[in-house]
Amino acid sequence: MATLDDLRRTADALPGSEERATTGGAAWFVRGKLYAWECHPWPSIPADVRAIIASELVVGVKIADGLDALALREMQPEVFLGATTAWGEPKVAFRMAGIDDDHLAELVTEAWRVQAPRYLRREFDETGR
């Protein structure tokens, strides 16, 4: 089971990544663009998803394409939640209890890639960090 500390370790290794405290919990940005966040049970979220978010740790990440989010939800519906809000699409939210460290690192890194400027992606690719 992955934790927020695991997410922090991955995010800390990404160039330009910055963690900020928000009203909903921790969130990670690259050059001012949100790429990963701790989900909060806002009233605008559908009741079934809101109940899950209120009872366990759920994280959201940006996704390159809405079809990728749909594929993740269909492959592991017990881990990847249905739509939360329309804001910030495409994105996907997942139960941290159902994610292993390697998959978390992949999701966070890809979310960072979606939001990071080209020069930071190039720096990461060239240095492996």
Side-chain angles (χ1 to χ4, degrees), residues 27-80:
W28 290 265
F29 296 80
V30 58
R31 303 292 295 158
K33 292 183 177 182
L34 180 68
Y35 71 90
W37 58 93
E38 185 178 357
C39 292
H40 186 75
W42 302 109
S44 58
I45 295 173
D48 59 334
V49 176
R50 190 171 60 242
I52 293 168
I53 293 171
S55 66
E56 63 186 273
L57 180 57
V58 174
V59 166
V61 293
K62 292 290 287 179
I63 296 288
D65 183 283
L67 291 176
D68 293 340
L70 180 61
L72 287 168
R73 289 181 190 121
E74 287 183 357
M75 287 186 329
Q76 288 186 288
E78 70 284 358
V79 174
F80 292 92

